[in-house]
Amino acid sequence: MKKFIFHLLVFGTLTFAQKKYVMVIHGGAGTITKANLSPEKEKEYREKLTEALQKGYAEIKNGKSSLDAVSAAIMVMEDSPLFNAGKGAVFTNEGRNELDASIMNGKDQKAGAVAGVTTIKNPILAARAVMDKSEHVMMAGPGAEKFAKEQKLEIVDPKYFWTEKAWNSLQKVKAMETSKKTSLNNKEQYPDYFIVDHKFGTVGAVALDKNGNIAAGTSTGGMTNKKYGRIGDSPIIGAGTYANEQVGISGTGWGEFFIRTVASKTAADRMKYLHKPVTEATQESIDEIGKLGGNGGLIALDKDGNVAMPFNTEGMYRGTVTDKGEVEVYIYK
Ligand code: ASP
């Protein structure tokens, strides 16, 4: 018995503590509750998140880089109409789809981003191309599209991004806009109609490869009814995406607050300079956003394979995979 207890204490704890994650993803945060998600839709989300994790894991397992794993996982979600990225991107006030994405490599802190693009099928690949094939970090609008074309990335007619779900969301928000002209969110002077569609379906991924290198990426259509060339946090390095040698982070939520708090970089700095664990460092970024009146979530993975997925919304589509290929997917609190 003594021997058994000894064994349990030593090896039992070790086995538990050694669970090492190699990838974490998100598919957006928001008012996602069991009550407003049908069992069929829930199944679709779970299956897509699982597929994204499996694609990312396959890259890691085959010895590919964390950048490849991040791109592979994000592409699965960009190609699905379920998420507010790529195919399922939300509409601007003018009825257009303007997409943003970014990617960052931890080891050398190289980064790439595109903003406000309308014809690039997979913005995450364009962000990667900006990082790998240009001397710049961020390209926007027609220039970014010209560059993507030169890089032989897939270009689509803007109509490709039309989905009924996103179109209906815009109509709903616009109807609110007309009927609630005077109603302002007192905290931030944002009209309620700007945030009525409380579903941030942005996608993101963070991966850790066999060489111990971390990468993070994020892709989005932004926020429904966004105006005047608005760019959110997702393509902004340090706000929606960040990676260094210690940790990789991707966010989803009300972008303006992620920019104002430099959410991802601040969380990484809490780890680097205050020596906080990844869970505490990222939770504090979400708390800071909450205090200012914003909402959303972060996913993070550190160099030892520890994950964190804090959020202050009802739910966040999210999932993890371990170095042994065990996939876990979560939606609600
Ligand atoms: N963070 C994104 C933005 O503000 C929205 C989202 O997460 O869905 O553009």
Side-chain angles (χ1 to χ4, degrees):
M1 186 63 184
K2 241 186 182 167
K3 207 172 154 197
F4 173 73
I5 292 173
F6 174 78
H7 199 87
L8 193 75
L9 280 176
V10 176
F11 299 106
T13 343
L14 277 184
T15 319
F16 181 71
Q18 271 174 359
K19 193 162 197 171
K20 185 177 166 182
Y21 294 94
V22 292
M23 180 164 232
V24 55
I25 62 169
H26 70 75
T31 37
I32 309 159
T33 59
K34 257 233 174 302
N36 62 24
L37 198 64
S38 70
E40 297 76 39
K41 267 277 163 275
E42 178 175 335
K43 188 166 170 272
E44 276 182 50
Y45 276 104
R46 286 187 184 279
E47 283 172 3
K48 228 359 124 186
L49 291 167
T50 302
E51 187 188 329
L53 285 161
Q54 283 167 343
K55 277 266 162 65
Y57 178 73
E59 298 288 309
I60 304 272
K61 203 176 159 216
N62 292 335
K64 296 276 192 58
S65 70
S66 47
L67 283 168
D68 290 335
V70 163
S71 310
I74 288 185
M75 273 179 74
V76 170
M77 295 186 279
E78 282 183 338
D79 290 344
S80 160
L82 289 175
F83 306 97
N84 171 20
K87 174 71 188 151
V90 298
F91 284 91
T92 66
N93 173 263
E94 290 168 323
R96 290 154 55 87
N97 306 100
E98 295 179 357
L99 291 72
D100 306 328
S102 66
I103 194 160
M104 187 165 189
N105 194 36
K107 190 171 59 188
D108 51 15
Q109 288 183 239
K110 279 191 175 166
V114 292
V117 296
T118 58
T119 59
I120 303 172
K121 184 169 180 253
N122 293 107
I124 195 67
L125 295 184
R128 176 96 189 257
V130 171
M131 180 178 91
D132 289 341
K133 310 271 174 55
S134 86
E135 64 271 39
H136 304 301
V137 167
M138 187 192 275
M139 291 187 197
E145 284 163 1
K146 190 175 168 207
F147 172 74
K149 218 174 187 172
E150 279 168 18
Q151 294 302 320
K152 311 254 177 314
L153 295 184
E154 194 169 345
I155 302 297
V156 290
D157 187 291
K159 282 196 207 86
Y160 164 79
F161 299 107
W162 194 95
T163 60
E164 197 177 351
K165 182 179 130 194
W167 183 252
N168 289 345
S169 288
L170 177 65
Q171 306 319 313
K172 197 171 87 188
V173 176
K174 281 196 157 183
M176 287 278 291
E177 193 170 25
T178 328
S179 67
K180 280 189 144 194
K181 273 238 145 61
T182 53
S183 168
L184 291 177
N185 173 321
N186 54 15
K187 270 191 194 134
E188 280 307 316
Q189 299 294 296
Y190 276 105
D192 287 342
Y193 53 74
F194 189 64
I195 54 163
V196 69
D197 197 50
H198 269 296
K199 277 175 247 91
F200 306 113
T202 290
V203 307
V206 185
L208 173 64
D209 61 30
K210 284 184 176 165
N211 294 323
N213 185 38
I214 304 168
T218 311
S219 180
T220 190
M223 283 173 82
T224 298
N225 203 33
K226 64 183 181 182
K227 292 171 184 151
Y228 321 122
R230 180 262 190 193
I231 307 283
D233 60 311
S234 308
I236 298 180
I237 297 302
T241 303
Y242 191 72
N244 60 21
E245 284 198 316
Q246 215 177 353
V247 66
I249 301 174
S250 166
T252 172
W254 195 347
E256 278 69 11
F257 291 88
F258 283 68
I259 298 172
R260 287 165 52 195
T261 57
V262 200
S264 301
K265 169 75 158 70
T266 306
D269 283 352
R270 283 188 193 99
M271 295 177 68
K272 192 168 176 176
Y273 303 114
L274 303 177
H275 310 291
K276 300 211 171 182
V278 65
T279 40
E280 212 177 309
T282 50
Q283 181 64 54
E284 285 179 15
S285 277
I286 294 301
D287 292 346
E288 200 183 345
I289 284 166
K291 264 187 217 144
L292 295 177
N295 57 358
L298 288 171
I299 54 162
L301 176 63
D302 74 12
K303 64 173 180 9
D304 301 316
N306 300 306
V307 285
M309 302 181 276
F311 54 96
N312 65 358
T313 50
E314 278 88 344
M316 177 163 81
Y317 299 112
R318 60 203 189 278
T320 54
V321 58
T322 65
D323 56 348
K324 299 194 176 61
E326 301 150 339
V327 168
E328 278 162 25
V329 162
Y330 311 90
I331 299 179
Y332 314 108
K333 265 217 162 102

